[in-house]
Amino acid sequence: MRRYIYILLFAVIPALAFSGETLQGSTPFTKEAGDSAYSQRRFAEAVEIYEKVIDNEGGSVELYYNLGNAAYRSNQLGKAILNYERELLIDPTDEDTRANLEFVQSRMKDEVPEQYEIFFVTWMTALFNLLGINTWAIIGVVAFVVALIGILLLLFSSKGTKRNLLIATVAFSVFVAIFANIAVYNIHANVTDNSYAIVMNEEVSLKSTPDNSGTVLIKVHEGRKVRIVDDTLKDWKEIELEDGKVGWVKADAIERI
């Protein structure tokens, strides 16, 4: 219920997450200037300002989120989806951004085929995304230290209930440490994987070969998430869709997440 309420607010009420400060004549390329432009419903201008701030200062959770909102409100679906995806790479636990992403994806022209995966994989991914990479790293270190302390205590303990409790504690701590390390590896792999991109043009033709004379295999539209499978050419990229279809597109028609 919370999710649908949030989506409704996102679609109807402008800039609840923004400060609403006005530009005071200082440099226009500041987050505050972008917030001001957004609150005054100058969405295209807000997009430009946020992009300049990111170019100059680097991206952040809030900047990518605000840019995604402004892009959606200025009817730039591809740019909105791109920046929500970038924000989720930094903070995969952000349910508000995830809800916004799904809402904007529902406005795409393409009907993305539903992806099926083993329930265990889905469950594990959701569990990994419950916490950020730093939190999982801390949990792993703490669990490892607890396991070491438990092992040391076992060396000096005698048989009995206390020893059995120590054995159980060590076993559980080792399990948690291993799981936390797997979570850290998984999240890091997702963050550093630059093979995914978003279609930025309104319509793109997938060609059978990397040239304009190639046969058109299928057309995809703005906002579609694709995977780059061949990055060896400068002007063309071979991409793969969710259903396994593969084709070539102009490099400037997509943008990496």
Side-chain angles (χ1 to χ4, degrees):
M1 184 65 177
R2 172 179 174 275
R3 168 178 164 183
Y4 290 105
I5 290 174
Y6 183 84
I7 293 175
L8 179 62
L9 291 174
F10 164 71
V12 177
I13 302 177
L16 286 180
F18 297 82
S19 63
E21 296 178 20
T22 57
L23 187 60
Q24 300 293 331
S26 59
T27 173
F29 300 131
T30 64
K31 177 185 175 300
E32 290 73 20
D35 294 349
S36 176
Y38 188 102
S39 66
Q40 296 174 39
R41 304 183 68 82
R42 303 196 313 270
F43 302 122
E45 181 181 341
V47 167
E48 181 182 357
I49 294 172
Y50 287 135
E51 287 182 329
K52 288 289 186 180
V53 175
I54 291 172
D55 288 342
N56 294 334
E57 304 176 9
S60 68
V61 166
E62 190 171 8
L63 282 170
Y64 284 135
Y65 176 79
N66 289 1
L67 176 53
N69 286 353
Y72 169 71
R73 299 303 295 270
S74 60
N75 295 316
Q76 301 179 64
L77 297 187
K79 191 164 289 186
I81 290 172
L82 174 69
N83 285 282
Y84 288 143
E85 291 277 10
R86 285 174 172 172
E87 195 273 351
L88 287 173
L89 285 179
I90 300 174
D91 182 11
T93 67
D94 191 335
E95 291 299 327
D96 289 339
T97 298
R98 197 171 296 279
N100 283 3
L101 174 61
E102 292 180 8
F103 174 77
V104 176
Q105 286 174 329
S106 70
R107 315 293 260 213
M108 290 166 44
K109 288 184 179 180
D110 287 355
E111 184 175 345
V112 179
E114 187 174 354
Q115 300 298 295
Y116 296 97
E117 60 183 8
I118 302 173
F119 78 94
F120 179 75
V121 175
T122 303
W123 179 81
M124 290 287 285
T125 301
L127 189 57
F128 292 155
N129 290 338
L130 283 176
L131 303 172
I133 189 169
N134 291 334
T135 304
W136 279 119
I138 292 171
I139 291 174
V141 170
V142 171
F144 180 73
V145 171
V146 170
L148 285 180
I149 294 173
I151 291 172
L152 290 174
L153 292 175
L154 276 174
L155 296 176
F156 301 99
S157 66
S158 57
K159 295 181 179 180
T161 304
K162 184 177 180 180
R163 182 177 178 83
N164 292 336
L165 180 60
L166 281 173
I167 292 173
T169 301
V170 169
F172 179 74
S173 298
V174 169
F175 171 79
V176 171
I178 292 173
F179 187 86
N181 277 276
I182 293 174
V184 168
Y185 174 82
N186 181 272
I187 296 173
H188 181 266
N190 289 334
V191 170
T192 56
D193 183 3
N194 67 345
S195 64
Y196 286 93
I198 301 297
V199 174
M200 303 302 288
N201 292 2
E202 184 176 353
E203 184 177 85
V204 175
S205 297
L206 264 70
K207 299 292 189 76
S208 58
T209 55
D211 56 71
N212 291 324
S213 61
T215 302
V216 175
L217 303 175
I218 189 174
K219 292 182 181 295
V220 295
H221 298 86
E222 184 180 8
R224 189 75 174 267
K225 186 176 182 178
V226 300
R227 187 171 71 89
I228 300 173
V229 294
D230 191 332
D231 195 24
T232 56
L233 301 182
K234 178 181 178 182
D235 297 326
W236 291 84
K237 305 297 177 187
E238 187 178 28
I239 63 171
E240 181 182 29
L241 303 181
E242 301 90 339
D243 57 5
K245 291 186 176 69
V246 176
W248 294 87
V249 297
K250 285 288 189 67
D252 58 7
I254 60 177
E255 187 167 346
R256 293 181 190 274
I257 298 173

